[in-house]
């Protein structure tokens, strides 16, 4: 996607203030230093919006916030639960410090992090179209949020290393029908949840994990779900598909 840089630059140039929307589960992977540098270069205020905060523990959120607050004001939001959106509106008005004038707010971030959902959260209405399938927002769109705030919604255009299919699975950029290696993607999800919320994984799938590898855990889940083949061994693709869907639907917390 050759024109993405031009689009992002153009939005940064036009906007009075930028929101960098990141996924609470992957704050580092979904930040983009190139975008941040360009914002800083043009001397525009920006806010880091940690979205999907309903999917991580409060403790983790606070840690991420403390770390990122050195860079810019940080607000955590759950567009799903409608939390943090009033705070974000206030922060936009404060950071923009444009008394009485209309404020153009550019919204940037990776595909599927919830840019359009954050805009809807702040406007209080479903004005920006959203979808579980990434690449949903096509082209730049303006969304009037009332009380002087106008958003620019953008497509998730920050490019990924296309080769990193696992990361695309984790971030929900590719859904299960577009992933080639289901088992590989599911193992990455298991590794992430094992490391960050092992008991949550155990209780969600009703399994007990001792010292198993991520592959063993996949097998345990397959057995518990009764996803077996004729000879009785676990149907690993079916199990992997279930895990990817559970993760991408926000059922597994970290
Ligand atoms: N659990 C949870 N899911 C969310 C939240 N915000 C958005 N989502 C979900 O994440 C998916 C993507 O949301 P969008 O708002 O379309 O994301 P986007 O960044 O605009 O995506 P593109 O336009 O495709 O780049 C949808 O399935 C939303 O329901 C949130 O705060 N919590
Ligand atoms: Mg969108």
């Amino acid at each position: 996607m050759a024109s993405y840089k031009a689009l992002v630059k153009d939005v940064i140039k036009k906007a009075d203030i930028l929101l960098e929307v990141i996924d609470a589960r992957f704050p580092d992977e979904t930040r983009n230093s190139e975008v941040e540098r360009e914002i800083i270069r043009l001397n525009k205020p920006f806010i880091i919006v940690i979205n999907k905060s309903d999917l991580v523990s409060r403790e983790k959120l606070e840690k991420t916030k403390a770390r990122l607050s050195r860079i810019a004001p940080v607000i955590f939001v759950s567009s799903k639960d409608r939390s943090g959106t009033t705070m974000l509106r206030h922060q936009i008005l404060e950071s923009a410090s444009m008394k009485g004038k209309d404020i153009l707010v550019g919204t940037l971030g990776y595909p599927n992090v919830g840019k359009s959902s954050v805009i809807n959260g702040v406007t209080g209405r479903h004005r920006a179209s959203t979808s579980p399938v990434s690449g949903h927002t096509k082209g730049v769109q303006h969304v009037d949020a009332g009380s002087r705030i106008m958003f620019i919604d953008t497509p998730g255009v920050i490019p990924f290393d296309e080769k990193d299919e696992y990361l695309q699975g984790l971030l929900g950029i590719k859904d299960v029908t577009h992933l080639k290696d289901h088992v590989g993607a599911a193992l990455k999800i298991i590794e992430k949840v094992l490391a960050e919320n092992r008991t949550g994984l155990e209780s969600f799938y009703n399994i007990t994990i001792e010292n198993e590898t991520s592959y063993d855990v996949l097998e345990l889940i397959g057995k518990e779900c009764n996803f077996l083949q004729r000879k009785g061994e676990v149907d690993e693709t079916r199990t992997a598909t279930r895990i990817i869907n559970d993760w991408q639907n926000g059922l597994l917390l970290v």
Side-chain angles (χ1 to χ4, degrees):
M1 206 184 285
S3 62
Y4 106 91
K5 278 190 187 176
L7 187 148
V8 170
K9 276 195 171 178
D10 193 50
V11 170
I12 296 173
K13 203 167 87 190
K14 284 194 181 126
D16 300 308
I17 176 168
L18 283 307
L19 305 184
E20 184 180 29
V21 182
I22 65 175
D23 183 324
R25 299 167 298 174
F26 305 95
D28 298 310
E29 291 89 338
T30 51
R31 271 180 67 200
N32 186 282
S33 54
E34 214 180 314
V35 165
E36 289 177 11
R37 271 201 302 275
E38 180 68 7
I39 296 172
I40 291 163
R41 194 178 73 84
L42 294 188
N43 214 5
K44 302 275 169 116
F46 76 109
I47 301 168
I48 298 175
V49 179
I50 307 181
N51 188 40
K52 307 203 183 185
S53 63
D54 53 292
L55 300 176
V56 305
S57 67
R58 185 84 195 177
E59 189 193 345
K60 230 171 270 165
L61 274 180
E62 294 290 355
K63 269 198 195 141
T64 307
K65 182 175 176 173
R67 194 158 52 86
L68 299 186
S69 292
R70 279 176 259 149
I71 297 149
V74 177
I75 304 283
F76 35 79
V77 168
S78 165
S79 311
K80 184 167 165 253
D81 302 342
R82 279 280 163 83
S83 65
T85 48
T86 306
M87 193 102 90
L88 179 57
R89 184 184 271 274
H90 287 306
Q91 186 65 53
I92 289 169
L93 293 171
E94 191 187 318
S95 293
S97 64
M98 294 164 56
K99 287 196 184 65
K101 280 203 229 134
D102 289 349
I103 303 165
L104 197 53
V105 185
T107 314
L108 298 171
Y110 281 96
N112 215 43
V113 292
K115 298 174 295 298
S116 302
S117 300
V118 166
I119 293 174
N120 289 330
V122 175
T123 57
R125 283 189 216 158
H126 194 81
R127 294 209 178 151
S129 176
T130 65
S131 158
V133 178
S134 78
H136 183 69
T137 303
K138 311 260 191 279
V140 170
Q141 285 163 25
H142 285 72
V143 181
D144 188 350
S147 18
R148 295 167 43 217
I149 296 176
M150 173 74 83
F151 283 104
I152 312 174
D153 192 9
T154 65
V157 280
I158 301 173
F160 258 102
D161 184 353
E162 288 285 334
K163 277 170 278 178
D164 198 345
E165 193 187 74
Y166 298 147
L167 188 57
Q168 298 192 39
L170 277 165
L171 294 174
I173 292 170
K174 276 195 177 165
D175 68 10
V176 81
T177 60
H178 292 94
L179 290 167
K180 287 190 207 92
D181 178 7
H182 291 167
V183 174
L187 292 178
K188 291 285 171 193
I189 292 165
I190 292 173
E191 275 165 32
K192 168 109 184 150
V193 188
L194 255 187
E196 299 192 28
N197 184 13
R198 180 200 192 95
T199 52
L201 188 65
E202 288 183 318
S203 61
F204 184 77
Y205 288 114
N206 195 24
I207 54 173
T208 309
I209 302 165
E210 313 261 320
N211 281 316
E212 287 90 345
T213 64
S214 49
Y215 187 81
D216 297 333
V217 173
L218 184 137
E219 290 215 303
L220 281 176
I221 295 170
K223 274 190 199 130
E224 180 58 33
C225 296
N226 217 10
F227 290 167
L228 305 177
Q229 288 170 322
R230 245 177 287 154
K231 286 181 195 149
E233 69 271 19
V234 166
D235 183 340
E236 47 173 42
T237 305
R238 192 171 168 209
T239 310
T241 301
R242 161 84 196 263
I243 295 165
I244 294 164
N245 282 329
D246 288 344
W247 170 257
Q248 293 191 345
N249 291 329
L251 301 177
L252 299 168
L253 311 185
V254 291

